[in-house]
Amino acid sequence: MRTLVGFYILCFLIEQNLPFLLANDVSSIDDSTQNLCLANRLSDFLPPPYSNISDSMPCTPLWNTFVLRYSENRDNVVTIIVSALYTTGWVGMGFSKDGRMVGSSAMIGWISKKGHAKIKQYYLQGTERDQVVPDQGELQLQKVPPVVALHGAMIYLAFQVKFSVKIPRRAVILAFSTAYPSKLGRLTKHDDKTTVIVDFSKANGLTSIKTTVSTDKTKHGMMAILGWGFLLPLGAILARYLRHRDPLWYYLHIGIQFTGFIFGLAAVILGIRLYNRIQPDIPAHRGIGIFLLILSILQVFAFFARPQKETKMRRYWNWYHHWIGRISLFFGAVNIVLGIRMANNEEDGWKIGYGFVLSVTLLAFLVLEIFRIRGSIGSPSSHTPPSFETHPSSTSV
């Protein structure tokens, strides 16, 4: 009966919390953004062949003031016109195999201080400025020259690119900066960027898929750090060093671990959703994530199936629960570090944030372990034997 009640409580918690944790940030496109599609007749200022087909292209507001128009022929040649509000600096559109900036190729356009239109392909080898290489990239540009034009308050980048394989949904990187590139074409750091998934197979651009991958990456990272990086280690620490406060330590341990499990499960679901969208080449991160999901589910089932303390099986169950928990926490920390590294965030916020959480956790463990060895904390009261089995519902951590 206890097992069934606990299982139903777990299902209720997941049902109530996951919709909140996984709520989509579907950015609404207001009327003013959609009006950017109707603001100008591109055939009035773009040269052929862009002027010949621009008015019949589907128009898709993507992000911020970025608007995409595109047309694809049977040879997988896509004519692309991307526009955005412009004052100074540069705007760009890149194509990525996995949604990440590193390894992508981008078309960048700007109007120089002297009024000269510039457009180049760049290959993004890394996140440093000297790793963004001009006049290189993997985009197969066609014989039709790329064009950049300024009309009113909008800048327009037009180019033709051929893809070797017809893939309807592609990860597209959008970025801009208000600072001009150098005279040699070296880009300044972007002011803002995002990654979206565009479905080029849709006839009506306004119904194209515009899911912000960077938002889902942020959610995935936050859920993983909150669950595997903070709550689950906290629950383990309380069970190990707060045992003299019986049964408080037990109920805190159970409540925090189940909450951490829910956040960890949310991180896994978000990770699966991201993988299905952009198919990133991350076998280590993905494999460890699946491994952690299996271990955490086994821990939940083990809790509901734990034997009574009087049985011989309780000792083996304690060993199992103890070591599976430690292994899970270790690989959880490893996978968070891998995820932060593979995300290639230019900002140091993620590294500093998780570095702080990990440092505090390790420091707390070392200090508390010293006190525990000295007998100051973590031991049951003097009138009970020094064994974790003094509480009928306790577990070993």
Side-chain angles (χ1 to χ4, degrees):
M1 178 63 68
R2 182 184 65 186
T3 301
L4 288 176
V5 171
F7 181 74
Y8 289 143
I9 292 175
L10 173 65
C11 293
F12 174 78
L13 289 173
I14 294 175
E15 180 182 1
Q16 294 299 314
N17 286 277
L18 278 184
F20 169 75
L21 298 175
L22 302 180
N24 260 331
D25 271 349
V26 180
S27 38
S28 58
I29 301 173
D30 56 22
D31 293 339
S32 61
T33 304
Q34 291 194 16
N35 287 338
L36 294 175
C37 290
L38 308 174
N40 298 300
R41 284 179 53 88
L42 275 61
S43 58
D44 292 341
F45 57 89
L46 288 179
Y50 306 110
S51 59
N52 300 335
I53 58 176
S54 59
D55 292 335
S56 62
M57 288 179 170
C59 181
T60 306
L62 291 181
W63 165 75
N64 208 323
T65 61
F66 278 76
V67 174
L68 174 67
R69 296 171 175 85
Y70 58 89
S71 175
E72 184 174 8
N73 63 22
R74 295 180 179 179
D75 297 325
N76 298 334
V77 176
V78 183
T79 301
I80 294 174
I81 302 176
V82 61
S83 59
L85 288 176
Y86 182 78
T87 53
T88 60
W90 56 265
V91 298
M93 176 180 182
F95 293 86
S96 172
K97 297 177 181 178
D98 54 10
R100 298 160 58 191
M101 187 189 77
V102 176
S104 64
S105 299
M107 296 298 295
I108 308 295
W110 67 96
I111 306 297
S112 70
K113 296 179 180 180
K114 296 182 178 180
H116 299 151
K118 303 285 185 178
I119 184 168
K120 291 177 179 287
Q121 181 179 182
Y122 286 79
Y123 182 64
L124 287 70
Q125 293 179 340
T127 59
E128 300 299 327
R129 183 179 181 183
D130 58 357
Q131 293 177 311
V132 181
V133 186
D135 299 315
Q136 293 188 24
E138 298 179 350
L139 296 178
Q140 300 181 38
L141 298 178
Q142 300 302 285
K143 294 181 179 180
V144 178
V147 171
V148 60
L150 185 64
H151 186 77
M154 302 289 290
I155 189 172
Y156 295 82
L157 280 64
F159 55 95
Q160 286 188 339
V161 58
K162 181 175 182 178
F163 295 105
S164 56
V165 180
K166 188 177 183 65
I167 303 177
R169 299 169 65 180
R170 295 185 179 274
V172 172
I173 300 173
L174 304 171
F176 69 90
S177 172
T178 54
Y180 288 103
S182 69
K183 294 181 179 180
L184 299 178
R186 293 289 183 182
L187 291 186
T188 51
K189 186 177 180 180
H190 58 261
D191 293 345
D192 200 2
K193 72 176 180 67
T194 192
T195 303
V196 297
I197 302 296
V198 178
D199 191 343
F200 286 95
S201 67
K202 297 292 184 180
N204 185 352
L206 292 176
T207 61
S208 294
I209 298 174
K210 299 176 287 296
T211 305
T212 305
V213 175
S214 58
T215 301
D216 281 348
K217 283 184 178 180
T218 301
K219 286 183 178 180
H220 172 67
M222 290 179 63
M223 295 298 105
I225 292 177
L226 189 57
W228 286 103
F230 176 69
L231 289 173
L232 293 175
L234 175 62
I237 288 175
L238 291 177
R240 185 171 180 84
Y241 302 112
L242 200 65
R243 199 160 304 211
H244 56 291
R245 297 296 182 91
D246 191 28
L248 176 62
W249 74 266
Y250 172 73
Y251 295 114
L252 286 175
H253 174 64
I254 295 302
I256 292 174
Q257 296 306 84
F258 272 116
T259 305
F261 169 76
I262 292 173
F263 278 97
L265 181 61
V268 171
I269 294 175
L270 282 167
I272 293 173
R273 189 165 70 180
L274 277 169
Y275 181 82
N276 291 335
R277 286 174 179 168
I278 60 179
Q279 299 290 318
D281 184 19
I282 49 172
H285 185 67
R286 182 168 175 256
I288 294 176
I290 295 173
F291 177 63
L292 289 173
L293 175 63
I294 294 172
L295 292 184
S296 61
I297 292 175
L298 288 176
Q299 286 286 69
V300 171
F301 286 150
F303 165 76
F304 292 128
R306 72 192 186 281
Q308 295 296 326
K309 69 181 182 68
E310 297 84 4
T311 64
K312 293 182 179 180
M313 288 297 297
R314 182 57 176 261
R315 173 173 297 181
Y316 300 108
W317 183 92
N318 284 329
W319 289 343
Y320 159 84
H321 184 64
H322 175 87
W323 285 106
I324 292 297
R326 284 191 171 185
I327 292 171
S328 299
L329 292 178
F330 172 76
F331 279 101
V334 170
N335 216 29
I336 290 174
V337 173
L338 283 176
I340 292 175
R341 288 189 61 186
M342 288 183 291
N344 290 303
N345 294 301
E346 289 87 0
E347 304 297 334
D348 293 330
W350 287 94
K351 298 176 184 177
I352 295 174
Y354 182 62
F356 175 78
V357 171
L358 185 60
S359 299
V360 171
T361 302
L362 292 176
L363 180 61
F365 168 76
L366 291 175
V367 172
L368 292 172
E369 188 66 16
I370 292 173
F371 281 109
R372 182 176 181 271
I373 292 173
R374 293 178 177 179
S376 302
I377 61 172
S379 300
S381 58
S382 57
H383 65 273
T384 57
S387 169
F388 52 75
E389 293 187 351
T390 56
H391 193 280
S393 302
S394 66
T395 58
S396 172
V397 179

